[in-house]
Amino acid sequence: EMSAVKALPRRQERLGRRAGLSANSTQFLLEGQPFQILGGSVHYFRVPRPYWRDRLLKMKACGINTLTTAVPWSLHQPQKEVFSFHSQLDLEAFINLAADLGLWVILRPGPYISSELDLGGLPSWLLRDSSMRLRTMYPGFTQAVNVYFDKLIPKMVPLQFKKGGPIVAVQVENEYGSFAKDDSYLLFIKEALKSRGISELLLTSDRLDTLEWGGVDGGMQATLPTRSRARGHTHLMDSLTRELVSQGMSVNLYMFHGGSSFGFMTGALGEPSYKALVPSYDYDAPLSEAGEYTPKYHILRDLLSRFTSMGITVTYQHLSLWDALSYTEGPFRSPKPVNMENLPVNNNNGQAYGYTLYETTITSGGSLKSGDSVRDRALVFVDRSYIGLLKHKRLELAVPGGKGPRTLSLLVENCGRVHQGGGLDKQRKGLVGEILLNNIPLRDFTIYSLDMKPSFIDRFVSAPWKTLSEGPTFPGFFMGRIFVYGYPSDTFVKLPAWKKGVVFINGLNLGRYWSIGPQQTLYLPGPFLNSGINQVIVFEEQEGDYSVHFEDTPDLGMAADL
């Protein structure tokens, strides 16, 4: 069963700060921007709670952006005095999970939801009243609805879009047009929702032939043009979905994942003759009863990926190297330069890897000479402005003149110790000897250890990161978050417009990158990623365009001499 939701005009209601979901004559708008609902139904009460995340991630990975779920009154209020909203029936947890995974939510709170449930989800104790008339303005029914909604709706109110939650729309009852026994009943349900604080867009849904009976003023109507429950309808569903989605219409797949009607929750058919329904609610859905991918899933994913950009967005903040210094271990003061291994860090085991920053005060410009003291590369700064590079074969640098005392900084990188041969004893890193300015050795250094271990990265996550609009400085750290769908698979990180630095994913150091190559991509194994939010930090020495690419294939380049 697939519902195409066609927008009808309605008053623009602005409640709170945000406009929420609204509709003009052709499309939905969210916060005033065009929004295409690509919806899928999953019923939390038909899916074991430990599988909720798995099923919703698979749905999101298919290109669905909105979860639709129904609320079974009979399960939440099994007895007149007993309510249950915990463990398997923790609807709030289900909706919050959807929000965490970046899904919008359309809620169907009933009170009647049909959904192949016993009595359509209405509690059987209502029938103890011999005059009961379900789904009408009969006082015994409306009073029971009011008691139920008093418990249910306040839990839903804070989860609405305008309050920062994921719920963008709420359905008024269910397909009342095909039942339609009481003109004022839908109005009662609408007011029951609104008076308890539901302020998002209201929807009704009906089959095309009964549409005129099921509407409600100020509510949107959704039509259900096809019900393809039988096997073998994959091509029909696919072509219909393709047509609707390509026209920019909003759709909802019922079910995206059906699950199981555990226990005695299954209903029965009455027309043309009585038939009890089976416990499986597989529904020939794109995701099978056991959560397996089906051919329908793959067709749908291919289709939706053409209409939705599944690009990875990395939203950056930056932290200059200089601002990060107060989060390092140290600093240490020493008359002469101290090599990495002899620094009093890491429980007096010295610094093994990474960068070390050496700072001292100079009072003139002139010729800076490093001899053989820089291991292996040093970026040189005067008052934190880059002036040049010292390394194995570049041993001299001109320091511009200037008035008064200035800070000279050398950011020295250990590019890796030699792994064989006769020089193993001489593999100390950092500054391993004197640095001369106009042939006089520099003195009185302040030394910072930047070992770039996970503990180092963790330390400055609470630092005052700035947005990119505030003009990043280099060297610096750049932090972004990426959302990964489903089970993360292997990928390769490419930084096309960056120069030289290090990449960290969720605090794990993937390794160095350098634009001169040869290697142009870093391998990122799937297990290093979380399903959901991941933190990406890039330490860049010189320049970057702030965009990180994730590719399917490695690029190892050609071997080259350093």
Side-chain angles (χ1 to χ4, degrees):
E1 170 186 315
M2 237 192 54
S3 43
V5 184
K6 189 81 176 120
L8 299 180
R10 98 182 248 286
R11 267 183 318 128
Q12 179 77 19
E13 288 174 341
R14 290 192 167 268
L15 286 142
R17 288 177 297 113
R18 303 158 81 181
L21 188 68
S22 62
N24 61 25
S25 56
T26 54
Q27 64 191 21
F28 284 108
L29 303 170
L30 189 60
E31 285 287 78
Q33 300 299 310
F35 177 66
Q36 187 174 14
I37 297 171
L38 301 172
S41 293
V42 180
H43 293 154
Y44 58 101
F45 53 94
R46 283 187 161 116
V47 178
R49 181 165 176 170
Y51 284 158
W52 284 355
R53 174 179 287 269
D54 171 79
R55 306 310 194 245
L56 295 187
L57 278 167
K58 286 171 175 168
M59 184 163 87
K60 175 114 195 189
C62 194
I64 298 288
N65 62 21
T66 304
L67 162 71
T68 303
T69 197
V71 186
W73 181 6
S74 54
L75 301 184
H76 286 293
Q77 194 182 2
Q79 299 171 25
K80 217 167 181 173
E81 311 298 327
V82 177
F83 289 90
S84 175
F85 288 96
H86 55 269
S87 52
Q88 182 65 47
L89 293 174
D90 192 340
L91 173 57
E92 289 159 288
F94 187 65
I95 293 174
N96 280 318
L97 173 63
D100 290 346
L101 302 182
L103 289 161
W104 300 113
V105 174
I106 294 175
L107 186 71
R108 301 174 49 209
Y112 166 85
I113 57 171
S114 179
S115 186
E116 281 77 22
L117 287 175
D118 182 276
L119 204 56
L122 298 173
S124 60
W125 50 258
L126 291 168
L127 298 175
R128 290 170 63 81
D129 176 348
S130 57
S131 341
M132 176 56 69
R133 289 173 59 233
L134 301 172
R135 300 177 75 194
T136 69
M137 290 304 292
Y138 175 70
F141 185 70
T142 55
Q143 281 159 14
V145 169
N146 281 328
V147 170
Y148 169 51
F149 273 9
D150 281 343
K151 284 281 193 230
L152 170 67
I153 304 303
K155 296 178 187 295
M156 300 296 100
V157 167
L159 297 171
Q160 294 180 100
F161 179 81
K162 295 184 192 107
K163 301 206 183 273
I167 296 175
V168 291
V170 176
Q171 184 178 318
V172 180
E173 236 255 3
N174 181 72
E175 297 184 31
Y176 193 69
S178 61
F179 184 79
K181 295 201 173 165
D182 204 321
D183 293 345
S184 48
Y185 171 64
L186 277 192
L187 200 60
F188 158 69
I189 298 297
K190 177 187 160 187
E191 288 310 317
L193 295 170
K194 291 181 78 164
S195 63
R196 288 170 176 83
I198 295 294
S199 60
E200 301 301 336
L201 181 62
L202 298 178
L203 300 173
T204 58
S205 99
D206 275 289
R207 287 190 291 278
L208 215 41
D209 53 349
T210 58
L211 194 59
E212 60 183 299
W213 302 108
V216 51
D217 271 4
M220 296 275 320
Q221 288 189 315
T223 62
L224 318 175
T226 63
R227 290 171 169 256
S228 80
R229 297 185 185 183
R231 305 242 162 227
H233 280 290
T234 302
H235 63 280
L236 171 72
M237 186 202 88
D238 178 45
S239 58
L240 183 73
T241 309
R242 184 186 312 275
E243 197 181 331
L244 295 171
V245 172
S246 60
Q247 289 174 18
M249 286 180 78
S250 290
V251 298
N252 183 62
L253 300 174
Y254 188 103
M255 298 289 295
F256 183 85
H257 167 55
S260 312
S261 301
F262 295 107
F264 291 126
M265 71 169 83
T266 49
L269 294 174
E271 322 277 323
S273 60
Y274 178 86
K275 285 191 177 68
L277 293 174
V278 297
S280 171
Y281 204 62
D282 180 290
Y283 225 95
D284 195 22
L287 211 55
S288 78
E289 180 175 13
E292 306 290 345
Y293 302 108
T294 66
K296 203 183 259 191
Y297 179 96
H298 295 295
I299 292 169
L300 194 62
R301 184 178 183 178
D302 290 346
L303 166 69
L304 294 179
S305 65
R306 268 175 261 162
F307 298 104
T308 56
S309 60
M310 299 280 285
I312 291 179
T313 52
V314 183
T315 50
Y316 274 101
Q317 295 172 289
H318 66 95
L319 179 69
S320 101
L321 170 70
W322 318 109
D323 288 341
L325 291 179
S326 56
Y327 293 85
T328 62
E329 193 179 346
F332 311 99
R333 292 187 171 70
S334 167
K336 295 184 176 188
V338 178
N339 58 296
M340 266 191 189
E341 296 77 5
N342 281 36
L343 287 173
V345 295
N346 193 20
N347 293 328
N348 274 332
N349 287 275
Q351 183 181 341
Y353 315 107
Y355 297 76
T356 310
L357 181 71
Y358 298 83
E359 292 195 328
T360 184
T361 302
I362 56 170
T363 51
S364 68
S367 168
L368 189 70
K369 291 185 181 165
S370 61
D372 192 23
S373 297
V374 169
R375 306 282 174 83
D376 296 287
R377 289 177 91 245
L379 301 178
V380 185
F381 305 84
V382 172
D383 281 346
R384 302 189 167 176
S385 288
Y386 177 70
I387 61 161
L389 183 68
L390 293 168
K391 58 178 188 174
H392 280 274
K393 294 187 176 119
R394 189 180 298 168
L395 309 177
E396 188 172 354
L397 190 61
V399 176
K403 287 195 168 59
R406 293 175 296 159
T407 301
L408 177 80
S409 308
L410 294 94
L411 181 64
V412 185
E413 180 195 5
N414 164 8
C415 294
R417 298 180 183 84
V418 167
H419 69 96
Q420 59 184 34
L424 290 179
D425 296 336
K426 303 181 179 58
Q427 293 305 308
R428 292 174 186 87
K429 297 294 182 179
L431 291 183
V432 298
E434 305 281 14
I435 302 289
L436 310 178
L437 180 59
N438 302 327
N439 294 317
I440 299 168
L442 293 169
R443 287 287 177 265
D444 298 322
F445 286 89
T446 301
I447 306 173
Y448 298 85
S449 167
L450 305 156
D451 60 11
M452 308 259 173
K453 289 193 293 205
S455 56
F456 172 84
I457 298 293
D458 292 345
R459 219 174 286 147
F460 60 67
V461 165
S462 59
W465 293 79
K466 299 187 170 83
T467 59
L468 275 186
S469 58
E470 296 174 77
T473 56
F474 296 93
F477 296 90
F478 295 80
M479 176 166 64
R481 289 184 179 81
I482 60 166
F483 189 96
V484 178
Y485 303 96
Y487 293 107
S489 50
D490 291 1
T491 183
F492 296 88
V493 180
K494 193 167 198 175
L495 300 116
W498 304 70
K499 266 288 192 292
K500 184 175 193 306
V502 192
V503 180
F504 305 86
I505 304 281
N506 296 326
L508 286 170
N509 183 339
L510 287 192
R512 284 185 276 256
Y513 64 89
W514 195 353
S515 58
I516 64 167
Q519 182 174 338
Q520 297 292 349
T521 58
L522 292 168
Y523 172 49
L524 171 50
F528 287 11
L529 292 165
N530 308 318
S531 69
I533 301 290
N534 293 266
Q535 179 198 65
V536 182
I537 291 181
V538 177
F539 173 68
E540 166 60 53
E541 296 178 13
Q542 287 174 291
E543 64 178 75
D545 73 346
Y546 324 126
S547 72
V548 177
H549 298 216
F550 296 84
E551 318 231 317
D552 290 342
T553 49
D555 179 354
L556 299 175
M558 301 289 288
D561 288 334
L562 205 70

